[in-house]
């Protein structure tokens, strides 16, 4: 039996945490959702995650701050940022900081699957 790759979702929006893991499972991945960067960092799933779908703007530690912390810890997990508040400069800035992709909410299933595929190939 093949083990499903774990994709973790970190987003303070409850509707995203409820819907995105279901979609990820439909894509064939295992999924875990976290309401904050701090919750993710305290979990047992940091080392198991093969990709991170990460909201940019969250209370407490932001998505980019979590990404930098993971890099500081030498955890090179591929990151797909998602945001509802981005402007034209957000995506290039996130890509420059090492993200695989940055999607604006709402994004299509196809866009998410393409970003995940790219992230997992890169990782």
């Amino acid at each position: 039996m093949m083990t499903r790759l774990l994709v973790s979702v970190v987003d303070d929006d409850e509707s995203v945490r409820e819907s995105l893991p279901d979609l990820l499972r439909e894509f064939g991945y295992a999924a875990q959702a976290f309401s904050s960067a701090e919750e993710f960092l305290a979990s047992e799933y940091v080392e198991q995650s093969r990709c991170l779908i990460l909201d940019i703007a969250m209370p407490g530690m932001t998505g980019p701050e979590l990404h930098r912390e993971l890099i500081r810890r030498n955890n090179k997990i591929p990151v797909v940022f998602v945001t509802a508040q981005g402007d034209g400069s957000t995506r290039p800035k996130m890509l420059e900081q090492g993200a695989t992709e940055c999607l604006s909410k709402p994004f299509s299933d196809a866009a998410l699957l393409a970003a995940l595929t790219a992230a997992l190939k890169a990782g």
Side-chain angles (χ1 to χ4, degrees), residues 67-84:
H67 188 218
R68 285 191 293 275
E69 176 62 17
L70 290 169
I71 292 168
R72 189 189 70 73
R73 294 180 181 194
N74 206 29
N75 184 320
K76 307 252 190 296
I77 182 172
V79 171
V80 174
F81 280 111
V82 295
T83 185

Side-chain angles (χ1 to χ4, degrees), residues 39-108:
E39 181 186 5
F40 175 70
L41 286 174
S43 79
E44 62 187 279
Y45 297 103
V46 175
E47 296 300 324
Q48 298 173 34
S49 297
R50 295 294 158 252
C51 183
L52 190 59
I53 299 174
L54 184 54
D55 189 19
I56 290 177
M58 294 183 290
M61 183 183 279
T62 66
E65 289 169 344
L66 172 57
H67 188 218
R68 285 191 293 275
E69 176 62 17
L70 290 169
I71 292 168
R72 189 189 70 73
R73 294 180 181 194
N74 206 29
N75 184 320
K76 307 252 190 296
I77 182 172
V79 171
V80 174
F81 280 111
V82 295
T83 185
Q85 302 168 358
D87 58 26
S89 68
T90 303
R91 183 175 182 271
K93 191 184 316 176
M94 294 299 101
L95 296 178
E96 186 179 292
Q97 292 178 18
T100 302
E101 185 56 271
C102 182
L103 303 173
S104 292
K105 297 176 185 176
F107 45 82
S108 69

Side-chain angles (χ1 to χ4, degrees), residues 10-21:
V10 182
D11 199 310
D12 61 317
D13 183 333
E14 186 177 357
S15 64
V16 172
R17 289 193 314 275
E18 289 177 355
S19 62
L20 212 47

